[in-house]
Amino acid sequence: MSSSRKDALGYLEHASDQLRTVLDGTSRRVLFIPYAAVSFSYDAYETLAAPPFEAVDAQLTSIHHHNDPVAAVREADVIAVGGGNSFALLSRLYGAGLVDEIRRRMTEAGTRYIGWSAGTNVATPTIRTTNDMPIVEPPSFSALGLVPFQINPHFIPGKPQGHNGESREERLAEFTVINPGEEVLALVEGSALHVTDGHGEILGERKALVFTGGAPVRDIRPGQRFELGELSGPVG
């Protein structure tokens, strides 16, 4: 998911259908990873994130209650990674020995993954397209790599009045120029990427954008499926 909020709605209030889509046919017990929180406690984050999951008949429990976080991940059927600061999140995932473990659970055990904001950034190959300030230095920018392309959550087109710096479009174009062959999926707030069986689909009401070096920006409409290895080539 691009964001925890959409417009004036409450925390994950917009995401009920998106959560149901991911949780369909699996356990309703969700392991929450709050490591992106910086200015508030993990307990407070769990209290904030639990009600939207309860609304879709799921029980969310934070990993910080477990003495062995690696064992908690190994036993999880659904993992939810919340937003906050992507650099702090990735640094703490490495510190807890969870980067490889989460990736293994996703690819080998079929564990479901739900992320929003920073939790979406770490699902990509690296966190190089996050909007966050690098308040800490993780051991590596390499992340979970659950999809083969970069994602830019919280995408806002254009420039606010009075802003004289680069737009988000310009920043992402710079990334694709200096990293030839890499693509970036830009998700506006309220939208999400749903991945199943090697294909992706945009959930929500708003289109996503694809940035590729040397090519015009392309749209992916909500409900339009595409192969993960061919982000620029929708299949239906």
Side-chain angles (χ1 to χ4, degrees):
M1 295 183 282
S2 175
S3 56
S4 59
R5 291 182 172 87
K6 174 189 175 187
D7 302 326
L9 297 174
Y11 198 83
L12 293 177
E13 186 178 351
H14 71 280
S16 293
D17 288 343
Q18 296 173 11
L19 293 176
R20 288 191 183 97
T21 296
V22 178
L23 292 170
D24 183 46
T26 189
S27 169
R28 280 324 214 236
R29 294 175 62 248
V30 179
L31 179 68
F32 180 51
I33 298 181
Y35 293 167
V38 175
S39 59
F40 51 95
S41 70
Y42 294 163
D43 283 333
Y45 203 172
E46 181 183 34
T47 299
L48 177 66
F53 283 84
E54 293 172 358
V56 295
D57 299 319
Q59 180 183 4
L60 180 143
T61 303
S62 178
I63 196 171
H64 76 279
H65 297 301
H66 295 262
N67 293 327
D68 187 342
V70 172
V73 165
R74 287 177 179 168
E75 297 170 0
D77 295 316
V78 182
I79 294 174
V81 183
N85 186 276
S86 299
F87 293 91
L89 170 59
L90 188 58
S91 180
R92 290 164 175 168
L93 288 174
Y94 272 112
L98 295 183
V99 172
D100 290 339
E101 198 58 48
I102 293 174
R103 185 188 301 116
R104 187 177 301 112
R105 290 293 299 175
M106 300 300 126
T107 58
E108 298 179 5
T111 298
R112 307 283 177 97
Y113 183 95
I114 300 170
W116 54 93
S117 189
T120 296
N121 278 315
V122 297
T124 70
T126 77
I127 61 168
R128 291 175 295 160
T129 51
T130 178
N131 305 315
D132 295 330
M133 181 176 289
I135 59 174
V136 297
E137 184 176 357
S140 169
F141 287 167
S142 295
L144 300 175
L146 304 183
V147 295
F149 47 81
Q150 294 293 127
I151 297 178
N152 180 243
H154 297 289
F155 178 79
I156 299 175
K159 296 183 181 181
Q161 185 175 1
H163 177 71
N164 295 310
E166 289 83 357
S167 67
R168 195 69 57 77
E169 290 97 331
E170 290 169 330
R171 288 294 193 196
L172 296 180
E174 289 176 345
F175 176 86
T176 60
V177 167
I178 204 166
N179 295 282
E182 295 201 44
E183 294 183 310
V184 184
L185 179 69
L187 290 174
V188 299
E189 297 198 342
S191 64
L193 169 66
H194 183 221
V195 174
T196 54
D197 300 324
H199 290 84
E201 179 182 355
I202 301 301
L203 304 180
E205 304 168 352
R206 301 167 180 173
K207 67 182 181 182
L209 301 178
V210 179
F211 290 80
T212 304
V217 177
R218 296 178 299 281
D219 297 343
I220 299 182
R221 301 183 304 275
Q224 186 175 358
R225 296 180 74 243
F226 58 91
E227 295 182 16
L228 293 186
E230 299 178 4
L231 180 59
S232 57
V235 296

